[in-house]
Amino acid sequence: MYKLGIDVGGTNTDAVILDDKLNVIVSTKTHTTKDIETGIKKAIHQVVNTNNIEVSQINQAMLGTTQATNAIVERKNLGRVGVLRIGYPATASILPYTEWPEDITSILSNRYALIHGGYEFNGDPIAPYSEKEVQEKLSEWKNQIDGLAVIGVFSSINDDQEKRVAEIAHKMLGKDFPVSISSSIGSIGLIGRENATILNAALNKVIKNVTDGFSNALAEENIFNATVYLCQNDGTLMSLPFAAKYPILTIGSGPTNSIRGAAYLSKIKNALTVDIGGTTSDIGVLVNGFPRESSKAVTIGGIRTNFRMPDVLSVGLGGGTIVRINNDDSVSIGPDSVGYAITERALVFGGNTLTTTDIAVRLGFCQLGNPRLVESIDKKIAQKAMTKIASIIENGLDQMKTSAEDVEVILVGGGSIIAPSLLSGVKHITKSKFGSVANAIGATIANVGGEYEKVYQYSQTKRSEALADVEKQAGQQAIMAGAKANSIKLVEITEVPLAYAPGETTRVKAKVVGEIDNSK
Amino acid sequence: MSRQITIKDVKQIAIGAALLGSGGGGNPFIGELMAISAIKKHGPVTLLTPDEFPDDEIFVSASNIGAPAVSMEKFPNGNEFINAFEIFEQYYNKKIYGTFPIEAGGINSMMPLVAAAKMGLPIADADGMGRAFPELQMSTFVLAGHSVTPMVLSDERGNTSLLNTPDSFWAERIGRDFTVQVGATSSSASDPVTGKELRSAGVLNIISLSQNIGQLIQHTNDYVSVNSALTALLKLTHGYKLMTAKIVDISHTTSGGFNFGEIILSGLNENEGQTGKISFQNENIIMQLDEQILATVPDLITMVDMDTLQPITNEEVRYGKRIMVLGLPANEKWRTAAGISLVGPRYFKYDVDYIPIEQRYAEYQNQ
């Protein structure tokens, strides 16, 4: 049996095939195409044909894609959304869409309503919830919206009102009408969660194109036996039906996949990862096999969400970065790059632009293109340039380190040939021959994940019970996303006490992973 | 001369408020959105300079009390202050002239802007702390002998409670109970003072300072280097850079509704090899460098991002973050014997004398 993994990045679309022991059988790199789908088809075609893979043996196919993010950033294919916030009379001081760029609110149709209901932090109702208000709004919005976003105050304490609204919407607007409820999308922090829920509701058409496009591409290569998964931002997978409901969870899976792929290839669980591409290098931190999360909330297309992305530092150094030799023989590196035009513009490929790749070839780091074309570069100047390249990486690593000690570094990405084998502050550098497709590998080896967060008062609920409860709920989320029930493992559990709140009020969050359930 | 506070000003004030929050006071984010919404709907707010506070008119402070983390999820309706100010007007049988922040640090810097925009009132450029503090009685008004009460607490449902208490400790105690009952956060109108009292007992021009800080930080990139932006920031605040460091450990515990903890710092650059420690109780209380105390309350201890100078509240503190610790002298009113006994290190249960930051810093430099 084989697994097929694809990662669509800004520049390249990578594909890999792994056997059931997770050995890499074949990999490929093609340019990302404007319509995405053509690039995916090409990549799949290349991997299945290179090694004459028996396509009926491919039983899992994973896709990591930036299409949802692109749709938001480019305001394309977004649906009209109705926003129902349950919590009135609380929260009226900040209305939905406050601080959203206007070009996107008008596309989403700017329809919202605040209705009575919602919960306090301890589960008490804020105000009586009224079904009539919900019905009135929905009949008003009928045929004017393509998706519904439902956001209840403290729905992470009690989601029954959000779920009830979804039921009514399915009755009134059709059983397949897309409804996004906030308790399954984000954590505490109403505005960030509401924004993410609204975006999720707007992405309904986009995700349908993604899933249909991927299914078509597979069908075209006669891959009919594969269960299909999409990658989430936290480095785990979700099944297609689950992804169709939660498209927003696909955003930012690229950097996560690269870090996870690096971990897999190197068999190292704690290290810094450096993914050198054509234009930039992304430095991430691997903690117990998972990427360290950023403390900052993510802004997509000018909209603040409460998603946490991997903590990644991007520096302007890639294989295509332009090197300039100044009149006084000093050298400057970038920040501009020839990008994927490297195969035409770099000196070693017969072009006329000096790039970091040319420097690496001149110094004998790698065999690439025609080394004779860079022989005329003064070796001393090439060494000077390499010292600068090294210091860009070293500075980046130093910023991401958590202690002054030397670190393990895993080097991946298509541009990794330009990195020297010795870096200061680094204990050891690990490279792999499949490092250039680390993100596609990260997509392929991923497990199915689940996350859950809730606020407990330890004076009411025993701490041990709260922890067990939250872990169980996260497990159920993972099973819904396609995990095998008996394979679920806890990745992390975090507790944050809330200042000034009575009864030892604590926010508890659990993250679990499980193996793919092939029986589904 | 009075001036108009617009949305652009609100954003700058919010950054300054996070810095003056000294690690606590809650992240101004929600308050900022509330103020922006209110100004969008009702128009800009007039900011009065101290010489424009009419002597005999009444000003009432507007704030939020309770758990900042809860307000990230459940925030006010916006009419709470209107209800509360009406009760004050009935109580005094007189119109309330304007409002002001009781604390210029953190989320409460924004509440008077919300109240002022909603009611068309001016806001006075003064506060009662010059920073953020955790308890009601920790204000320069209480220090000057004024009462926190009458105080009106209100919630989004229209519940209100007018408190008249013999002292601020009772106001704190009963106020907290009301707040717990209505969902761990409530809106509060308190510390009524005349324009004259506000001018003599308040920390003056603090909103303007806050905005100047915010504006400077927003424009960090316009300086030749972060260092020169920092120099300008320290000049503006009369502050000191106490340490450049990486956060290596954080411990939190809550007790009695307060968030206690320690942040351990590992020195970078000029502090390479040194270890720092910040002890906090919601706000930062003591900063030590290699066991030597460099600053204590009431002086402000605050962390900023090493590259952007953006202030970092203790809720956002995270392992590995690169920061600079700044120490800012407290307002002179806090540096009196009475001030120190109200908000000095001993009040927070540290057996340490208050020594002004400039003395501690000079001592450290001379070693």
Side-chain angles (χ1 to χ4, degrees):
Chain A
M1 289 306 201
Y2 297 113
K3 286 165 179 274
L4 166 67
I6 292 150
D7 183 88
V8 184
T11 313
N12 289 312
T13 297
D14 301 344
V16 293
I17 287 182
L18 271 58
D19 68 15
D20 46 12
K21 297 209 170 63
L22 302 183
N23 298 307
V24 183
I25 304 297
V26 56
S27 71
T28 190
K29 225 175 178 47
T30 62
H31 290 322
T32 297
T33 52
K34 224 172 178 176
D35 67 342
I36 308 280
E37 202 177 315
T38 312
I40 293 178
K41 279 182 185 162
K42 195 173 164 198
I44 297 179
H45 187 80
Q46 281 180 9
V47 278
V48 293
N49 285 299
T50 318
N51 273 32
N52 291 322
I53 298 284
E54 180 54 59
V55 287
S56 64
Q57 294 289 302
I58 298 175
N59 67 342
Q60 289 167 5
M62 289 84 169
L63 176 68
T65 173
T66 51
Q67 276 147 293
T69 316
N70 293 351
I72 297 167
V73 174
E74 294 165 14
R75 323 304 200 210
K76 273 191 191 145
N77 286 326
L78 300 174
R80 297 165 302 170
V81 179
V83 183
L84 271 188
R85 190 197 283 172
I86 319 167
Y88 196 81
T91 76
S93 58
I94 307 170
L95 297 175
Y97 292 119
T98 298
E99 280 229 295
W100 280 49
E102 265 168 36
D103 60 339
I104 189 165
T105 46
S106 58
I107 291 172
L108 269 51
S109 85
N110 207 18
R111 284 191 177 81
Y112 63 82
L114 270 55
I115 59 174
H116 284 88
Y119 292 97
E120 301 283 1
F121 77 100
N122 59 2
D124 287 348
I126 294 175
Y129 156 78
S130 145
E131 207 126 297
K132 201 165 150 258
E133 287 175 53
V134 179
Q135 286 162 346
E136 276 169 13
K137 270 296 149 196
L138 292 182
S139 60
E140 184 191 322
W141 288 345
K142 201 168 185 175
N143 301 323
Q144 295 178 356
I145 56 171
D146 308 307
L148 183 69
V150 188
I151 305 96
V153 175
F154 276 114
S155 57
S156 60
I157 304 278
N158 189 341
D159 61 4
D160 64 350
Q161 292 174 354
E162 284 190 351
K163 284 187 169 154
R164 184 63 197 142
V165 172
E167 272 175 41
I168 300 169
H170 287 141
K171 242 181 240 162
M172 291 179 63
L173 306 175
K175 71 174 175 30
D176 295 323
F177 190 83
V179 180
S180 302
I181 63 170
S182 82
S183 49
S184 15
I185 286 176
S187 53
I188 289 168
L190 188 83
I191 295 295
R193 187 173 78 248
E194 178 174 88
N195 290 353
T197 309
I198 296 172
L199 289 176
N200 192 67
L203 286 169
N204 177 47
K205 265 188 278 179
V206 174
I207 198 72
K208 193 166 179 332
N209 286 344
V210 171
T211 53
D212 289 354
F214 192 37
S215 304
N216 288 344
L218 293 170
E220 222 163 86
E221 291 300 326
N222 299 314
I223 302 169
F224 293 111
N225 295 340
T227 320
V228 182
Y229 298 89
L230 291 194
C231 297
Q232 297 192 53
N233 59 352
D234 65 353
T236 60
L237 298 170
M238 52 186 170
S239 63
L240 274 202
F242 189 86
K245 283 171 103 173
Y246 303 108
I248 193 75
L249 300 181
T250 63
I251 56 168
S253 59
T256 309
N257 284 340
S258 145
I259 298 170
R260 295 258 305 142
Y264 174 74
L265 289 170
S266 63
K267 312 287 171 215
I268 298 172
K269 288 200 155 178
N270 293 290
L272 295 192
T273 61
V274 184
D275 184 343
I276 307 183
T279 309
T280 57
S281 298
D282 289 342
I283 302 173
V285 185
L286 191 62
V287 183
N288 295 326
F290 279 86
R292 181 174 80 196
E293 277 188 356
S294 161
S295 64
K296 279 207 189 94
V298 175
T299 302
I300 315 158
I303 303 145
R304 183 181 166 118
T305 70
N306 56 359
F307 282 108
R308 295 286 183 255
M309 291 292 159
D311 193 5
V312 168
L313 176 75
S314 280
V315 294
L317 175 75
T321 299
I322 297 171
V323 179
R324 291 185 179 84
I325 301 166
N326 306 318
N327 290 337
D328 59 353
D329 275 359
S330 68
V331 178
S332 50
I333 311 285
D336 46 346
S337 161
V338 297
Y340 58 76
I342 184 163
T343 49
E344 291 131 45
R345 294 185 56 193
L347 297 184
V348 285
F349 296 115
N352 53 14
T353 310
L354 178 62
T355 65
T356 49
T357 296
D358 299 312
I359 299 293
V361 173
R362 175 67 183 91
L363 296 173
F365 286 17
C366 56
Q367 295 288 320
L368 208 65
N370 183 354
R372 277 214 234 124
L373 295 171
V374 291
E375 267 172 9
S376 63
I377 303 169
D378 182 346
K379 197 159 188 187
K380 273 194 187 132
I381 289 184
Q383 275 159 347
K384 216 187 262 181
M386 188 47 68
T387 311
K388 285 222 162 168
I389 291 172
S391 80
I392 295 175
I393 304 174
E394 286 161 0
N395 285 338
L397 289 172
D398 194 49
Q399 282 192 49
M400 296 299 278
K401 273 186 191 180
T402 45
S403 82
E405 280 166 44
D406 285 1
V407 286
E408 287 277 349
V409 166
I410 311 167
L411 199 55
V412 296
S416 57
I417 45 161
I418 65 162
S421 52
L422 283 175
L423 289 167
S424 83
V426 173
K427 210 186 297 173
H428 181 246
I429 301 178
T430 309
K431 285 191 192 184
S432 150
K433 81 172 163 162
F434 293 111
S436 69
V437 290
N439 28 11
I441 292 170
T444 322
I445 53 139
N447 286 318
V448 179
E451 225 178 71
Y452 196 78
E453 183 185 67
K454 193 167 169 173
V455 174
Y456 296 87
Q457 280 181 289
Y458 287 165
S459 59
Q460 312 268 322
T461 311
K462 261 201 239 156
R463 178 169 174 268
S464 57
E465 280 167 24
L467 297 187
D469 182 43
V470 96
E471 185 180 342
K472 190 177 145 209
Q473 300 281 358
Q476 267 157 12
Q477 194 77 6
I479 293 167
M480 263 169 63
K484 222 187 281 176
N486 59 5
S487 71
I488 289 170
K489 279 192 206 116
L490 184 68
V491 177
E492 66 172 343
I493 197 155
T494 48
E495 298 171 80
V496 181
L498 304 189
Y500 293 106
E504 292 176 72
T505 303
T506 306
R507 198 168 86 193
V508 189
K509 181 173 152 187
K511 196 168 164 177
V512 302
V513 292
E515 288 162 25
I516 290 175
D517 187 349
N518 273 323
S519 64
K520 279 185 192 166
Chain B
M1 262 282 280
S2 64
R3 62 186 173 98
Q4 299 293 306
I5 302 282
T6 62
I7 289 171
K8 176 185 126 271
D9 301 314
V10 169
K11 292 184 178 180
Q12 294 174 341
I13 295 170
I15 299 172
L19 188 105
L20 295 177
S22 309
N27 186 321
F29 169 67
I30 278 291
E32 186 184 338
L33 282 187
M34 284 173 68
I36 289 172
S37 301
I39 290 175
K40 235 183 218 168
K41 195 165 165 196
H42 304 280
V45 169
T46 304
L47 178 73
L48 301 177
T49 57
D51 57 326
E52 294 170 324
F53 308 166
D55 277 356
D56 301 320
E57 298 287 353
I58 302 171
F59 288 78
V60 170
S61 153
S63 61
N64 248 25
I65 62 174
V70 170
S71 2
M72 291 296 284
E73 177 72 20
K74 186 200 143 191
F75 37 86
N77 171 285
N79 289 334
E80 292 85 346
F81 292 124
I82 300 178
N83 297 338
F85 275 56
E86 263 171 23
I87 291 173
F88 262 103
E89 293 187 342
Q90 283 163 17
Y91 184 86
Y92 287 117
N93 196 19
K94 190 177 173 178
K95 187 155 168 30
I96 302 300
Y97 186 84
T99 183
F100 63 96
I102 191 65
E103 57 180 336
I107 187 168
N108 276 337
S109 60
M110 295 286 126
M111 292 305 120
L113 291 164
V114 177
K118 288 252 170 202
M119 293 184 275
L121 300 180
I123 174 171
D125 197 350
D127 87 332
M129 298 182 188
R131 47 166 297 157
F133 273 129
E135 293 169 27
L136 288 173
Q137 77 280 3
M138 297 176 167
S139 88
T140 52
F141 301 112
V142 172
L143 197 61
H146 301 297
S147 170
V148 170
T149 64
M151 168 163 103
V152 178
L153 295 164
S154 56
D155 79 350
E156 72 281 357
R157 287 161 282 233
N159 290 308
T160 56
S161 172
L162 170 67
L163 299 187
N164 264 304
T165 59
D167 58 43
S168 53
F169 292 95
W170 279 105
E172 173 87 30
R173 197 163 158 182
I174 300 173
R176 294 253 174 251
D177 265 0
F178 175 93
T179 303
V180 167
Q181 287 305 319
V182 302
T185 62
S186 69
S187 299
S188 156
S190 67
D191 298 82
V193 279
T194 64
K196 193 177 174 185
E197 289 165 343
L198 185 54
R199 199 180 310 116
S200 75
V203 176
L204 302 180
N205 301 312
I206 192 76
I207 298 176
S208 295
L209 175 65
S210 207
Q211 180 168 4
N212 291 338
I213 293 172
Q215 193 178 21
L216 195 158
I217 293 174
Q218 236 179 20
H219 291 103
T220 299
N221 283 339
D222 299 347
Y223 286 81
V224 233
S225 66
V226 178
N227 227 351
S228 63
L230 175 71
T231 308
L233 179 62
L234 295 177
K235 197 174 159 210
L236 177 67
T237 55
H238 308 288
Y240 301 88
K241 180 171 84 168
L242 303 179
M243 187 180 189
T244 304
K246 190 153 62 175
I247 296 167
V248 290
D249 198 15
I250 313 125
S251 63
H252 282 278
T253 48
T254 50
S255 166
F258 288 92
N259 196 352
F260 290 88
E262 283 180 350
I263 300 165
I264 307 294
L265 305 165
S266 160
L268 294 172
N269 304 346
E270 73 279 7
N271 296 108
E272 188 77 53
Q274 291 180 292
T275 302
K277 183 166 96 178
I278 295 175
S279 309
F280 62 88
Q281 292 179 24
N282 294 348
E283 283 78 29
N284 298 325
I285 307 294
I286 292 185
M287 150 76 191
Q288 283 166 279
L289 184 57
D290 286 343
E291 308 295 310
Q292 181 174 357
I293 295 173
L294 290 193
T296 71
V297 275
D299 291 332
L300 289 74
I301 300 160
T302 194
M303 287 186 284
V304 296
D305 184 279
M306 199 168 121
D307 299 315
T308 62
L309 300 187
Q310 287 286 340
I312 296 158
T313 63
N314 290 349
E315 292 159 10
E316 304 165 303
V317 159
R318 150 183 92 69
Y319 197 76
K321 193 140 188 118
R322 281 143 189 272
I323 53 103
M324 293 187 285
V325 185
L326 309 185
L328 277 46
N331 185 271
E332 286 307 318
K333 292 189 164 82
W334 288 130
R335 296 178 153 205
T336 57
I340 293 162
S341 93
L342 193 58
V343 295
R346 287 210 160 72
Y347 182 85
F348 294 94
K349 312 243 174 341
Y350 288 90
D351 190 20
V352 172
D353 286 327
Y354 171 70
I355 300 171
I357 185 165
E358 50 276 22
Q359 280 180 38
R360 289 198 183 269
Y361 188 77
E363 216 171 275
Y364 171 71
Q365 290 292 359
N366 290 336
Q367 282 163 17

